[in-house]
Amino acid sequence: MRNVSDYILELKGITKIFPGVKALDNVHFQLKQGEIHALMGENGAGKSTFIKVITGVHRPEAGEIFLNGEKVEFKTPKDAQNHSIAAIYQHGTTYQFLSVTENIFIGHEKMTKFNTIDWKQMHKDAAELLKRLGSDIDPHTNMGNLTVAEQQIVEIAKAISTNAKIIIMDEPTAALSKRECEELYRITEQLRDEGCSIIFISHRFEDMYRLASRVTVFRDSQYIGTWDVDGISNDVLISKMVGREISQIYPKQQVKRGKEIFKVEGLSKTGYYKDVSFSVHEGEILAMTGLVGAGRTEVCQGIMGIERPDSGKVILNGAALQIHHPSDAMKAGIGYLPEDRQKQGLILDWGLGQNVTLSTLEKFTHGSIINRREERQRSKVLLEKVKTKALSVYDKASSLSGGNQQKVIVAKVLSSDIKVVILDEPTKGVDVGAKAQIYEIMSELAAQGYGVIMISSEMPEVIGMADTILVMKEGRVSRIFEGDEVKGITQEKILEAAMDM
């Protein structure tokens, strides 16, 4: 007789052990039919391993998995796929040089009666799948030509093409703009309404509130609990995720603003930004915000010499700088933490120590010989200064969580003799506990007299951390809030300036 269950998917007592590490410890989870269920927890809480158990990548040492009340066992990812389970990962599994159609149907191609690939039918079906999701992406287009948001839609189409009834979305909004997030929300709700059950993994509270009816929290590889989204407060949820109360998510120290140390005058680059001017003082955190595409990152890349501006001045301690290359900016005393930490900030296969000292290697070089002992000691001091969680300086950067990777880049920036630090979306894609630690580092830098420039799309952190707020719109400075104006600032006022209302 068939078991009757209230849940389409249920995991009981799942334990997964790797050498020296218990990645999942007696974890439980229940997913209802037609439900969007948020899964939250700090980096390292066990979420990724949990996904891989459900999708058949890892086999647990203990525990049971049930689908519609029937016990199942997945020995391979194909087993999970055959049971209508699919996953969409934060760092997509797409093939950039293959077409959209090839990416959607790879591994389950449609064949003709002559046992050849039926390209005509596959292109037609791919177009219909994309149309069903409200997208007009050309199936013949190479994946590498698509935006991140469009690639996410193709990944969802791929999941639907396998007739998936359970879809796991791992941080799908991490690299999307607000408008793109809204489009993803629409598609996710459409899938739910069509009968799919969705596990939505995210660090963003707005994702949870916008989509999910229930939320489950993992911490330190263990199941902490499950709650109705409308029945748990932010403060309680945060305390469940980090195991302690974060009474002050934005640990901003009160620092007396010092002398002006950095100034930008009339910075312009045709097609990107025009006549941008602002200044930064010792001990000041200046937040640059605005809608995506407003030109914030481009301005800072112009300051650093990554993309040289057409005109304007960059002045440090009263002296105009000639910056032709990022190394010129760093030597002058300007440090930069890029938005894409994995592609632009780190060499993932290198150890942490080598990453930290990469930009200042000449300090540890005598003749043609690198003093590795001195290099290790310096990197160890800097990694400890920013509270990086790692076993040693030899750990590969790829082995760390997103939050700890971000700390390594901060340590790398601090390895230079800098006076001004530019942080581009410093908390993007990191959990709430790591965010609080990054804010603490920023506040400490300001207290030590650095000038800090933070580019951010997150209004709460702009309001919580900034002494001065510079709002950009379409490549120009729309408004600068400073002094007493910042104390009473609201998201609405910032948005009005960003939209020039």
Side-chain angles (χ1 to χ4, degrees), residues 338-383:
E339 180 179 3
D340 190 333
R341 58 179 171 262
Q342 294 199 340
K343 290 183 179 178
Q344 299 174 320
L346 295 169
I347 300 178
L348 295 173
D349 286 335
W350 280 21
L352 307 184
Q354 287 177 295
N355 268 284
V356 168
T357 59
L358 178 61
S359 58
T360 55
L361 204 55
E362 69 278 2
K363 290 183 179 181
F364 313 101
T365 304
H366 307 286
S368 59
I369 300 172
I370 300 172
N371 187 328
R372 294 297 184 187
R373 182 171 175 273
E374 190 178 336
E375 180 192 22
R376 285 195 303 272
Q377 287 176 338
R378 178 59 177 160
S379 60
K380 186 172 183 291
V381 168
L382 289 168
L383 289 166

Side-chain angles (χ1 to χ4, degrees), residues 9 40 58 100 107 162 232 241 250 279 357 422 443 461 492:
L9 173 69
M40 302 188 78
H58 294 324
V100 167
T162 64
I232 187 168
M241 289 169 62
Y250 306 104
S279 62
T357 59
I422 302 173
S443 188
E461 75 179 14
E492 288 74 20

Side-chain angles (χ1 to χ4, degrees), residues 87-271:
I88 299 161
Y89 295 98
Q90 176 184 358
H91 302 292
T93 54
T94 57
Y95 297 91
Q96 299 291 298
F97 296 104
L98 298 183
S99 70
V100 167
T101 296
E102 288 171 306
N103 272 274
I104 289 174
F105 290 105
I106 195 163
H108 58 286
E109 295 83 358
K110 294 180 180 291
M111 310 300 287
T112 68
K113 62 182 179 181
F114 303 108
N115 204 32
T116 59
I117 294 176
D118 193 340
W119 288 108
K120 184 177 179 181
Q121 187 62 48
M122 280 169 52
H123 285 311
K124 180 183 176 184
D125 289 351
E128 288 177 357
L129 284 168
L130 293 164
K131 185 179 178 181
R132 176 179 162 190
L133 296 174
S135 173
D136 59 358
I137 296 170
D138 182 353
H140 299 82
T141 302
N142 270 16
M143 283 292 286
N145 296 330
L146 302 184
T147 66
V148 174
E150 289 171 333
Q151 291 189 27
Q152 290 277 18
I153 292 172
V154 174
E155 287 275 276
I156 293 170
K158 179 179 177 180
I160 298 172
S161 74
T162 64
N163 297 313
K165 300 300 180 187
I166 296 170
I167 299 177
I168 306 165
M169 296 186 177
D170 182 16
E171 293 284 353
T173 62
L176 304 187
S177 68
K178 188 171 181 61
R179 182 188 61 77
E180 291 168 338
C181 285
E182 286 296 331
E183 181 64 11
L184 182 71
Y185 294 156
R186 181 192 66 76
I187 291 171
T188 305
E189 289 173 330
Q190 177 184 325
L191 292 173
R192 176 201 62 197
D193 294 343
E194 291 174 357
C196 286
S197 301
I198 296 165
I199 302 172
F200 201 100
I201 299 171
S202 179
H203 292 310
R204 293 158 49 104
F205 283 63
E206 54 264 50
D207 292 344
M208 179 193 73
Y209 287 122
R210 177 68 170 74
L211 291 173
S213 54
R214 293 195 301 156
V215 56
T216 289
V217 172
F218 286 179
R219 185 178 75 239
D220 297 333
S221 307
Q222 297 181 323
Y223 169 82
I224 301 302
T226 299
W227 297 268
D228 289 336
V229 167
D230 58 8
I232 187 168
S233 69
N234 254 15
D235 289 346
V236 171
L237 186 58
I238 290 169
S239 70
K240 298 296 182 185
M241 289 169 62
V242 302
R244 62 190 186 280
E245 289 188 15
I246 300 186
S247 56
Q248 193 178 10
I249 299 176
Y250 306 104
K252 181 80 168 64
Q253 296 183 39
Q254 294 303 312
V255 179
K256 185 177 179 180
R257 192 168 83 159
K259 66 178 183 179
E260 179 183 283
I261 55 171
F262 183 71
K263 193 172 185 179
V264 171
E265 290 184 351
L267 212 65
S268 299
K269 184 175 177 63
T270 304

Side-chain angles (χ1 to χ4, degrees), residues 6-9 30-37 196-198 214 228:
D6 294 331
Y7 305 106
I8 186 172
L9 173 69
Q30 296 171 326
L31 180 67
K32 295 178 180 178
Q33 174 71 47
E35 171 189 37
I36 300 176
H37 192 131
C196 286
S197 301
I198 296 165
R214 293 195 301 156
D228 289 336

Side-chain angles (χ1 to χ4, degrees), residues 440-460:
E440 189 177 338
I441 292 166
M442 287 171 54
S443 188
E444 184 60 34
L445 290 173
Q448 292 174 16
Y450 291 92
V452 180
I453 300 172
M454 173 183 72
I455 303 173
S456 177
S457 302
E458 293 196 26
M459 294 298 140

Side-chain angles (χ1 to χ4, degrees), residues 289-296 457 472 495 498-499:
T289 190
L291 303 178
V292 171
R296 303 161 302 170
S457 302
M472 291 192 67
L495 190 58
M499 299 180 72

